[in-house]
Each structure stands twice: as C-alpha cells, then as structure tokens.
Amino acid sequence: MYFRKLMKGDGQKLHALVAQCPPLDTNSAYLNFLQCTHFADTSVAVESHSQLYGAITGYYQPEAPDTLFVWQVAVAQAARGKGLAKKMLCHLVDAGLGGGLKFIETTITRDNRASWALFEGLADCYQVSLTSNIWLDQSEHFAGLHDSEYLVRIGPFNSPLGIS
C-alpha cells in the first residue's frame, strides 16, 4: 500500500468507497471528483494494485489558512483494524506542518465512536489539545432529520511527531 494525492481518476472509486463506509454521508460523484481535483493537495489516498483502500478528503479554510478541515475519512473493510486512518491523518499533518498547519477541524456526531477515537488518538499522538462544541444542531439546523454535528478542533501542532 502506498500513500499519494487523490487524482481525477479516483472520483468514482472515492464515491464507491464512501458508500461502503457508513455512517459517512454519501455525496454526488461530481462532488467526489471535485474533491479529487480541487482538494487533491489537502487530501490523501492509499492504494494497492489499483485498489483504493483509504482516503481522507479535506481543505484549508479560506478564513483560517492554518486550519485543515477534514471532510471525510474512509477506509475499505479489507483494510480496517490496521491503523490506516490514523496513518493517513498523520500523513496530512506532517505534510502540512511545513506550510503553516496549526489546527485540524472536523465534525462528528456524538454516537460515532470510531471517529471520536481516531481524532482523540491523533491529539494524543501529537500531544495537542482537542476541543468540541455543537456546530450544527439537530433541531435548529437539520429539522430533526440528522444528528447534531460537533465541531472538533485539534492543535496547535508545532512539530512533526507523527507515528512510527
């Protein structure tokens, strides 16, 4: 397995991967193609033998250029349980440190234990803080149709510690 940037040709593969990773929200394939092109420099793919085993999509926020927003983390069933998601996150952090990365933000629903564990583990690995607050409320923003989303903020990152 090797790590690389997402590419235009990954759009449909990314769309299929996300669909296999509940509770991730599926988006249009068109959006996945945009993620693979417009956000290629702030995303990562893990591939082996032309098979996409994992991907993280994200982007730097225009109003906070030191903050990488992680949109989705997807790992194929065959690659789960091997720490791949954390390795991909560390790859993005280490790549961003030279460019001024200070924080990672993401949103997580309260019941998504796997995502909480992943991002808590990232904060522990780099010995930085993790804070969270409701960002999109179930009643106020989703009309009761989606669980509340908590904005998780990790950092500030200072040096490339990563994982071995």
Side-chain angles (χ1 to χ4, degrees):
M1 288 193 192
Y2 67 96
F3 290 66
R4 62 170 176 78
K5 292 180 182 181
L6 285 166
M7 301 178 295
K8 185 191 254 182
D10 293 322
Q12 194 60 44
K13 291 178 187 178
L14 178 60
H15 187 71
L17 177 63
V18 169
Q20 297 168 20
C21 296
L24 293 181
D25 291 332
T26 54
N27 296 291
S28 69
Y30 182 81
L31 174 66
N32 294 132
F33 278 103
L34 290 176
Q35 291 171 315
C36 291
T37 54
H38 293 193
F39 305 144
D41 288 340
T42 54
S43 299
V44 63
V46 176
E47 180 182 68
S48 180
H49 305 294
S50 299
Q51 171 91 23
L52 189 63
Y53 281 97
I56 294 180
T57 55
Y59 58 90
Y60 281 97
Q61 299 182 43
E63 69 283 356
D66 65 349
T67 302
L68 177 66
F69 184 84
V70 172
W71 188 323
Q72 290 183 315
V73 177
V75 176
Q77 182 67 37
R80 292 184 190 156
K82 300 174 182 165
L84 185 58
K86 187 173 179 183
K87 289 175 185 172
M88 289 189 296
L89 276 175
C90 289
H91 177 87
L92 287 174
V93 170
D94 292 345
L97 286 172
L101 173 71
K102 289 292 181 192
F103 297 96
I104 283 188
E105 289 185 347
T106 193
T107 61
I108 309 173
T109 57
R110 183 54 66 203
D111 64 346
N112 188 338
R113 293 307 318 150
S115 287
W116 284 104
L118 172 63
F119 286 97
E120 289 165 353
L122 180 71
D124 288 346
C125 178
Y126 286 89
Q127 301 171 4
V128 296
S129 66
L130 179 149
T131 60
S132 67
N133 296 294
I134 289 182
W135 185 61
L136 296 173
D137 181 75
Q138 181 177 25
S139 299
E140 182 181 349
H141 300 104
F142 290 117
L145 301 174
H146 189 286
D147 290 339
S148 295
E149 291 276 354
Y150 287 77
L151 180 66
V152 176
R153 184 171 173 88
I154 303 165
F157 295 96
N158 296 309
S159 62
L161 296 175
I163 60 173
S164 52

